[in-house]
Amino acid sequence: MSNKYLIFGQARSGTTTIAACLTRKKGDMVQEPTCIRAGDRYLIEDEISKLNFVKRLPLDFYFNNVDFIDHNPLDKALEDKNNTYDYLDAIYSRFDGVKHIWNNNSYTTNLNIINYVKEKNIPVLFLHRNNLFDVEVSFHIVEASGVSQLSIEGNAAEDIQRVKNKVESCDVPKIHSARCFTSVVRSAYYLDSYWSELENHKRKVISYEDFYTKGDKKHNLMSVCEFLNIDFKTLNSSVIEERLLSKAVKQSSEKVTDKIENMARFKQIQLIHPRLSNFRLK
């Protein structure tokens, strides 16, 4: 498939911002079509309706379950390879790019997606965090604040600041170190496995730290466009300015993390596990 691509990302690794920057017009990109909670679900209602899954969910399902990883009924349907292939055929017939968060789905479904893009020769942007512990901190703040993205109310500076004030004013409880460490170890295993499955395929790895905190972010985005054969000049410059280049969009600021009573102890755990706190794919 020409001009198609997949963002295959770890949760909390900056996928939403990159996807927003790559969206030039309606029909360019759909975000998280394999997750029942996808904000773009309204774009793909017809495709979703053809999947066999439990559709009568509690009214509060979409609102009171911030920790959504284990609550995705679409996944059961997509564990069947044929269902995944038919579903992605329908999605890619309408959209050039797909953003997929592997945490939302089972290992089986993720392998189905990987095998699909390999067979269709669809290039993959593979996103993750170097510090896998920071993923857990980010999830912890999301659960405490109820805010998944600073841009949930808009991209304008005043919208970002209003949401940021909500995050920074929330109470953040202790982080469950043992449970988080288990999640970190699991993430390292999955990242190694998924990356190896894409060996010899057209792939580009992007770590959150390298893309967002090192070097020039605009240049980094241009490098992504070059990999995907997208003309950078066709992107929406205002979205890039507001979502990528603005200094106000970082959610897990020290002002928030300092509220976590046992954060110092959590950082000590990171120091004794350097492979997990500075994770690199081979």
Side-chain angles (χ1 to χ4, degrees):
M1 291 184 176
S2 61
N3 302 320
K4 307 295 182 180
Y5 62 91
L6 173 69
I7 298 175
F8 189 89
Q10 180 182 23
R12 319 308 301 172
S13 67
T15 58
T16 301
T17 295
I18 289 181
C21 290
L22 293 177
T23 302
R24 294 166 289 180
K25 61 183 185 302
K26 187 176 180 180
D28 266 1
M29 163 73 66
V30 62
Q31 299 200 37
E32 301 179 46
T34 62
C35 180
I36 194 67
R37 299 170 190 279
D40 283 352
R41 177 178 173 171
Y42 73 99
L43 294 172
I44 52 172
E45 288 288 355
D46 289 343
E47 289 80 4
I48 290 177
S49 68
K50 296 174 183 177
L51 293 174
N52 182 21
F53 67 98
V54 177
K55 297 180 174 65
R56 290 191 175 183
L57 302 169
L59 290 177
D60 66 350
F61 180 86
Y62 298 96
F63 306 102
N64 294 338
N65 235 329
V66 177
D67 186 13
F68 54 80
I69 297 175
D70 296 322
H71 304 273
N72 182 16
L74 282 186
D75 189 69
K76 288 301 178 184
L78 294 171
E79 284 187 336
D80 181 277
K81 178 180 177 180
N82 292 330
N83 286 344
T84 299
Y85 277 45
D86 289 344
Y87 184 61
L88 290 178
D89 276 343
I91 295 294
Y92 273 114
S93 71
R94 296 180 53 209
F95 300 93
D96 294 332
V98 171
K99 188 196 88 172
H100 171 69
I101 301 300
W102 55 259
N103 307 69
N104 291 333
N105 296 92
S106 66
Y107 190 75
T108 299
T109 297
N110 287 323
L111 286 186
N112 287 342
I113 294 169
I114 287 173
N115 287 327
Y116 176 88
V117 296
K118 286 165 65 176
E119 290 184 23
K120 303 291 184 178
N121 293 317
I122 296 173
V124 175
L125 283 175
F126 195 100
L127 273 66
H128 72 95
R129 289 251 192 171
N130 291 141
N131 190 335
L132 301 182
F133 292 94
D134 281 350
V135 175
E136 302 305 316
V137 173
S138 184
F139 270 131
H140 189 64
I141 293 171
V142 168
E143 187 169 6
S145 65
V147 175
S148 59
Q149 300 286 341
L150 291 182
S151 59
I152 58 174
E153 295 184 6
N155 292 327
E158 58 270 23
D159 297 327
I160 296 290
Q161 189 59 52
R162 182 171 58 252
V163 177
K164 192 171 186 178
N165 290 341
K166 178 182 177 181
V167 174
E168 293 182 345
S169 64
C170 75
D171 294 324
V172 187
K174 288 184 178 181
I175 194 165
H176 196 301
S177 298
R179 185 165 58 225
C180 287
F181 182 73
T182 299
S183 295
V184 165
V185 173
R186 186 185 301 119
S187 291
Y189 170 81
Y190 284 144
L191 286 166
D192 279 332
S193 181
Y194 295 142
W195 183 246
S196 67
E197 289 290 336
L198 287 164
E199 188 174 6
N200 300 321
H201 184 70
K202 186 178 181 181
R203 60 184 185 173
K204 179 179 178 66
V205 65
I206 298 173
S207 78
Y208 176 93
E209 291 83 352
D210 289 341
F211 190 90
Y212 290 99
T213 67
K214 298 177 183 178
D216 183 278
K217 288 185 284 187
K218 184 176 179 180
H219 175 79
N220 293 341
L221 181 61
M222 293 174 70
S223 177
V224 167
C225 289
E226 183 178 358
F227 171 74
L228 297 176
N229 197 28
I230 292 174
D231 184 353
F232 179 80
K233 295 179 181 178
T234 65
L235 301 185
N236 189 322
S237 59
S238 62
V239 171
I240 294 172
E241 187 65 36
E242 293 170 346
R243 295 294 296 273
L244 179 64
L245 303 182
S246 171
K247 295 180 180 179
V249 296
K250 184 180 179 182
Q251 184 163 313
S252 300
S253 66
E254 290 184 0
K255 188 172 182 178
V256 182
T257 56
D258 285 349
K259 292 183 178 182
I260 303 174
E261 184 180 334
N262 61 335
M263 192 63 193
R265 171 58 182 158
F266 193 63
K267 288 182 177 179
Q268 288 178 352
I269 296 173
Q270 299 179 38
L271 291 175
I272 61 177
H273 295 282
R275 204 246 164 179
L276 300 176
S277 59
N278 188 24
F279 182 83
R280 300 285 174 174
L281 289 164
K282 300 177 182 178

